[in-house]
């Protein structure tokens, strides 16, 4: 992308400066999309050997900065032209708080993008996580100030002014959690000036554990159905929701996970990225293969498989990386049958 020969003149397509945000297709490692400094989106199908433009900045409202939230949607048997959408269903979340999708890899001259931002809060979109199930158009997104769920991005793209099809705010109590300073509980909702020390003043990243299909509670703003387990990282740690964003707690939680301390002794530090390591992705389903001792399909007569990685990795700003083992979870209100 940068000009060669030692020139310091910015490449007009790249927009100057270094660094980039990219996403790899989880079911085809040859395919990636990347954002330039001025919001132009490039794609490769050859692991970076060749790149081509699939969206110009004006298509995305001229965001004027990197589009940090890039993601591939699940292949869709009902996609346009019967191509199954394999590698062609993409999301772009911009620094100006907008989300766009394409089902045709940008289409002719990168103009086939549709705005699906209705219901978002307008703050920069930091990350988008899509449902890997074949034919799903559902996604979660985190902005600097909220967490959101979209049941059907394609339906919204076809009816972009219909609030009933827009993003649903699932931030819940995330920005109102209390925390301890030198062993003394500080409640940002009750103590004067609490907003300045709010535990989750700025959010940055989201991870979604699709292994769980938890029934939505009555009154869930997302409506009936099921939901996964959500993890969010912000300027002061990692948080989890088991009820689709209605309530959040520090992760790990003492009452649910038996943690020795709320938050598992993770330093109160900005978390810039969360990643779940659950095994290789099965390209036919988009789900991790879960090979290991907790795989329900294990053959007891087969050789013992290697354990699942089964980790949540938190990358922090200036304090390194922290990993925690994801033990099988007994959800509140349920019991174990032996």
């Amino acid at each position: 992308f940068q000009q060669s020969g030692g020139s310091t003149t910015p490449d007009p397509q790249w927009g100057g400066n270094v660094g980039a945000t990219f996403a790899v297709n989880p079911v085809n490692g040859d395919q990636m999309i990347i954002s330039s400094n001025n919001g132009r989106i490039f794609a490769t199908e050859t692991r970076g050997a060749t790149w081509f433009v699939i969206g110009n900045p004006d298509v995305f409202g001229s965001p004027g900065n990197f589009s940090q939230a890039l993601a591939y949607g699940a292949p869709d048997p009902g996609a346009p032209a019967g191509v199954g959408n394999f590698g062609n269903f993409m999301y772009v979340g911009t620094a100006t708080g907008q989300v766009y999708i394409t089902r045709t890899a940008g289409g002719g001259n990168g103009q086939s993008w549709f705005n699906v931002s209705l219901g978002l809060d307008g703050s920069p979109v930091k990350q988008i996580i899509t449902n890997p199930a074949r034919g799903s158009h559902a996604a979660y997104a985190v902005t600097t100030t909220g967490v959101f769920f979209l049941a059907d991005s394609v339906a919204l793209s076809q009816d972009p002014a219909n609030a009933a099809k827009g993003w649903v705010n699932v931030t819940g109590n995330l920005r109102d959690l209390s925390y301890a300073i030198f062993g003394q509980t500080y409640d940002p909702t009750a103590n004067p000036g609490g907003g300045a020390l709010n535990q989750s003043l700025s959010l940055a990243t989201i991870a979604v554990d699709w292994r769980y299909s938890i029934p939505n509670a009555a009154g869930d703003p997302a409506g009936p159905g099921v939901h996964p387990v959500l993890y969010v990282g912000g300027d002061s740690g990692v948080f989890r929701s088991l009820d689709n964003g209605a309530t959040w707690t520090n992760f790990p939680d003492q009452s649910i996970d038996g943690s020795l301390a709320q938050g598992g002794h993770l330093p109160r530090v900005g978390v810039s990225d969360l990643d779940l390591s659950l095994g290789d992705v099965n390209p036919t389903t988009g789900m991790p293969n879960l090979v290991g001792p907790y795989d329900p399909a294990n053959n007891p007569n087969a050789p013992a498989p290697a354990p699942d990685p089964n980790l949540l990795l938190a990358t922090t700003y200036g304090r390194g990386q922290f990993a925690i083992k994801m033990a099988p979870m007994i959800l509140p209100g349920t019991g174990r049958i032996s």
Side-chain angles (χ1 to χ4, degrees):
F1 303 117
Q2 300 284 2
Q3 290 181 328
S4 59
S7 172
T8 59
T9 303
D11 187 316
Q13 290 200 93
W14 190 252
N17 296 328
V18 297
T21 299
F22 67 91
V24 179
N25 187 343
V27 296
N28 184 344
D30 293 341
Q31 299 177 347
M32 293 186 289
I33 49 179
I34 195 170
S35 171
S36 74
N37 185 60
N38 56 19
R40 181 174 283 104
I41 305 299
F42 298 84
T44 180
E45 296 182 346
T46 56
R47 298 189 183 186
T50 56
W51 293 86
F52 46 92
V53 176
I54 62 170
N56 287 308
D58 59 324
V59 175
F60 308 108
S62 300
N65 207 335
F66 289 115
S67 291
Q68 289 187 294
L70 307 178
Y72 283 87
D76 187 350
V83 296
N85 247 16
F86 194 85
N88 294 328
F89 188 14
M90 305 169 181
Y91 290 70
V92 170
T94 73
T96 53
Q98 303 293 296
V99 173
Y100 296 80
I101 67 165
T102 179
R103 301 177 77 198
T104 55
N109 298 318
Q111 300 297 310
S112 185
W113 290 88
F114 300 90
N115 191 315
V116 290
S117 307
L118 187 66
L120 295 175
D121 60 10
S123 64
V125 182
K126 306 297 287 186
Q127 192 171 9
I128 298 170
I129 300 292
T130 60
N131 189 327
R134 294 297 181 262
S136 174
H137 307 144
Y140 287 90
V142 63
T143 70
T144 55
T145 54
V147 187
F148 298 86
F149 171 69
L150 182 61
D152 192 332
S153 60
V154 173
L156 181 58
S157 72
Q158 296 168 345
D159 193 6
N162 188 338
K165 297 180 180 180
W167 293 86
V168 175
N169 191 322
V170 294
T171 312
N173 66 325
L174 178 55
R175 297 173 59 80
D176 299 320
L177 294 173
S178 61
Y179 57 92
I181 299 177
F182 301 116
Q184 182 175 355
T185 298
Y186 178 88
D187 185 350
T189 63
N191 292 318
L197 295 175
N198 194 308
Q199 188 171 40
S200 49
L201 191 64
S202 179
L203 306 177
T205 180
I206 183 170
V208 181
D209 194 340
W210 299 103
R211 296 176 299 175
Y212 295 90
S213 294
I214 305 168
N216 292 357
D220 190 310
V226 297
H227 62 268
V229 176
L230 306 177
Y231 300 89
V232 164
D235 58 357
S236 55
V238 177
F239 312 92
R240 180 182 62 192
S241 176
L242 302 176
D243 53 12
N244 209 26
T247 57
W248 295 82
T249 63
N250 292 83
F251 177 76
D253 179 76
Q254 287 179 291
S255 62
I256 297 174
D257 307 296
S259 174
L260 295 178
Q262 198 74 344
H265 294 299
L266 180 72
R268 188 168 182 267
V269 62
V271 175
S272 58
D273 189 56
L274 288 174
D275 294 283
L276 281 166
S277 181
L278 304 174
D280 293 336
V281 172
N282 183 336
T284 64
T285 64
M287 296 291 290
N289 61 20
L290 301 179
V291 172
Y294 304 125
D295 182 0
N298 277 346
N299 181 349
N301 298 318
D308 297 318
N310 212 31
L311 297 174
L312 178 67
L313 177 71
T315 301
T316 72
Y317 186 76
R319 294 291 298 270
Q321 294 179 305
F322 295 81
I324 188 168
K325 192 75 171 177
M326 306 293 286
M329 188 165 29
I330 305 299
L331 302 176
T334 64
R336 183 189 299 270
I337 300 176
S338 57

